[in-house]
Amino acid sequence: STHHSMRAAASRMSNVIVRVCSFNLRHGYVDHGTPNSWDKRRPILKACLERMQPHIIGTQEGDPPLLNEMLTDLNATANRWSY
């Protein structure tokens, strides 16, 4: 039955872990020349993502240049990320 199939699928998925990260990147130009500039935050974000190994990443204020740099950092070790 459909109900039994759904229960079996749900049972198999109960052990699946999906790591999701969300970051407010702030527009790249907002903090230029300050301790919070993108150049200072970028390596911190990279280290965080390497440590957390998320499956899904969400961003707020992710301008295309910042997202492209983030994508470059993510794909430095494994070319599997895209947006």
Side-chain angles (χ1 to χ4, degrees), residues 2-62:
T2 302
H3 181 70
H4 178 72
S5 297
M6 290 177 66
R7 285 190 119 181
S11 176
R12 286 191 304 272
M13 292 180 67
S14 67
N15 294 326
V16 174
I17 295 172
V18 177
R19 286 181 298 281
V20 179
C21 294
S22 177
F23 299 94
N24 183 344
L25 298 179
R26 293 185 46 87
H27 299 290
Y29 56 84
V30 173
D31 295 315
H32 186 71
T34 73
N36 293 322
S37 68
W38 174 241
D39 292 340
K40 303 254 190 311
R41 291 181 286 127
R42 182 179 176 186
I44 295 168
L45 176 63
K46 181 181 180 193
C48 180
L49 291 170
E50 288 173 347
R51 188 172 48 255
M52 296 181 78
Q53 293 291 305
H55 298 103
I56 299 169
I57 302 168
T59 66
Q60 181 179 345
E61 299 180 14

Side-chain angles (χ1 to χ4, degrees), residues 61-75:
E61 299 180 14
D63 294 334
L66 271 65
L67 294 174
N68 287 333
E69 290 179 1
M70 190 173 148
L71 190 62
T72 297
D73 291 343
L74 287 168
N75 285 327

